[in-house]
Amino acid sequence: MNKRIVVFGSFVVDLTARTPRLPTPGETVLGKSFAMGPGGKGSNQAVAAHRAGGDVTLVTKVGRDVFGTVAMDFYHKEGMDTAYILEDPDGESGCALITVDETTAQNEIVVVSGACGRITPQDVERVRPLIQSAGVLLVQLEVNFDALFAVIRIAREAGVPVVLNPAPAAKLPPEIMRMVTIMTPNETEAEFLTGVRITGPEDACRAAEILMEQDVEQVVITLGAMGAFAMNRERWELLAPLEVEAVDTTGAGDAFNGGFVTALAEGADLFTALRYGNVTGALSVTRCGTAPAMPGRAEIEALYKKVYG
Ligand code: ADP
C-alpha cells in the first residue's frame, strides 16, 4: 500500500549570503559567498517525502519569473510531479533573503511569500479533486490561511487524514484545530501553541495533552537533538535522537515531516512513522542545505534497520 501524499504549501527561493558579520541597520557588509536554491517548507517537505519513496504531489504557487523557473527545473530534475505547481502570471515568486554570519552561524532571514501567499479560491477549486483523492494531506503555515483552511476542510470532508506542521508558529481557530489528525510542532512551536516549555518527557506529554484537549487527534513533537515524541489516545513514546555527525540542522523538521508522512502513506502506525521521521531527520543534518540535504530511500531503510531492526 502506497497511498498518494498531497503536500499543500510554500515554495520560495532561498538567497543565502555568508558574511564576516551581520550588518547593522543602514550598513553594507561585503559578503564572502552567495548561493541560490529551492526552499519553502511545503516544497522541502514534498522533496523529503519524494526522496523517501512517497508518491507525492506538491501543490504550490510560483510567479512567471526566474524563481518560478528555478522551481520547475528543480522538480523536473528530482522527477517530481509538476502538474499542480500553480502560476501567478502577474506577481512574483516567494523568496527568502538569508544572511549567515560565518563566525557565529547566526542568521537573519526575511521571507516574502510572493505567489504562495496568493492562492485564490479558484486555485483551491482546481485542486479539490486532487485533495479528495489523497491518502494523506500534509500542510504547513507558509501559505495564505484562507486557502489553507479551505483545503483542510476539503480533506476532512473527504475523510483524508490531515498532518499539520504548524510552522512558522501561529494560533489557529478551534474549527481548524478540530480537523487536524496529527499535529507536528517542533519544541518552539509546541511552546508557542501551549505555553509549555519542553525540557523532558513530562513537558512533552503536557503540551501534547493541551493540543489534544483542543481535539487534535494525535501529536508529534520534534525535539531537535533531544529526539522525537508522539502521543495518541492510548500511549506516548519519546524516541532517543540518533547519533549522527550534525553539520547543518536547517531543514531537519522538513525532513522529519517528509519521512513521517511517507511511512503513514505506506500504512505505518503513528509510532513506526515516528521512527521513520527520526531517521530521516537525523540523516538530513549530516549534510548542508535544506532540499538538497534530504536523504534517499536506501539510506533511510539502512539506518532504520540498523537502529530499530
Ligand atoms: P526543526 O528543523 O523544525 O527545528 P528539529 O530541530 O526538531 O526540527 O528536528 C527534527 C528532527 O530531526 C528531530 O526530531 C530529530 O529526529 C532530527 N534531528 C534534528 N537534529 C538532530 C541531531 N542533532 N541529531 C540527530 N537527529 C536530529
Side-chain angles (χ1 to χ4, degrees):
M1 179 173 51
N2 199 355
K3 294 191 210 149
R4 174 183 253 173
I5 299 162
V6 174
V7 182
F8 180 81
S10 61
F11 168 83
V12 304
V13 169
D14 287 342
L15 303 168
T16 308
R18 299 178 75 84
T19 59
R21 62 188 172 77
L22 299 177
T24 55
E27 188 190 14
T28 301
V29 170
L30 272 185
K32 288 276 182 68
S33 65
F34 169 76
M36 174 165 103
K41 289 179 194 301
S43 179
N44 289 344
Q45 294 181 16
V47 171
H50 171 73
R51 289 201 185 169
D55 173 9
V56 182
T57 304
L58 170 64
V59 181
T60 189
K61 194 167 185 179
V62 298
R64 196 174 284 170
D65 54 16
V66 67
F67 292 170
T69 313
V70 170
M72 294 309 255
D73 288 351
F74 178 66
Y75 299 136
H76 285 140
K77 217 163 75 205
E78 287 286 321
M80 288 172 67
D81 181 1
T82 55
Y84 292 89
I85 310 298
L86 311 169
E87 199 182 66
D88 182 341
D90 307 316
E92 77 292 350
S93 298
C95 71
L97 308 176
I98 305 169
T99 312
V100 181
D101 181 322
E102 285 196 317
T103 326
T104 62
Q106 273 192 315
N107 59 36
E108 274 179 2
I109 304 179
V110 177
V111 179
V112 181
S113 302
C116 60
R118 291 190 300 266
I119 298 170
T120 63
Q122 293 74 27
D123 295 332
V124 171
E125 276 319 301
R126 198 185 136 199
V127 300
R128 179 185 287 275
L130 174 77
I131 306 292
Q132 288 169 330
S133 75
V136 53
L137 173 73
L138 173 62
V139 295
Q140 317 75 24
L141 305 181
E142 275 188 345
V143 295
N144 45 311
F145 280 10
D146 51 347
L148 175 66
F149 296 170
V151 162
I152 291 174
R153 279 188 207 104
I154 293 169
R156 279 312 286 214
E157 278 162 19
V160 175
V162 177
V163 178
L164 189 148
N165 175 228
K171 297 258 170 7
L172 298 169
E175 177 226 353
I176 296 300
M177 293 295 279
R178 275 198 290 279
M179 293 187 198
V180 176
T181 315
I182 309 177
M183 189 171 275
T184 64
N186 66 15
E187 57 194 305
T188 324
E189 290 142 10
E191 180 176 349
F192 175 87
L193 292 169
T194 65
V196 178
R197 199 156 163 256
I198 299 170
T199 57
E202 296 80 22
D203 308 319
C205 283
R206 185 68 208 118
E209 277 162 9
I210 291 173
L211 294 172
M212 287 166 77
E213 279 159 16
Q214 296 169 62
D215 287 333
V216 169
E217 264 178 58
Q218 299 164 30
V219 176
V220 165
I221 306 176
T222 62
L223 299 167
M226 286 196 300
F229 169 95
M231 183 187 256
N232 64 14
R233 302 270 171 215
E234 281 88 49
R235 67 182 183 102
W236 61 268
E237 192 173 339
L238 175 63
L239 285 186
L242 303 182
E243 274 187 36
V244 290
E245 201 176 312
V247 298
D248 178 4
T249 60
T250 47
D254 293 338
F256 179 98
N257 278 279
F260 176 75
V261 292
T262 300
L264 288 181
E266 290 175 8
D269 66 20
L270 178 69
F271 299 98
T272 306
L274 181 72
R275 285 168 172 66
Y276 217 84
N278 203 34
V279 167
T280 312
L283 285 169
S284 78
V285 307
T286 63
R287 298 183 200 121
C288 285
T290 51
M294 299 307 173
R297 176 79 177 198
E299 38 182 347
I300 295 171
E301 296 248 311
L303 183 59
Y304 186 99
K305 221 178 199 164
K306 190 168 141 208
V307 182
Y308 301 118

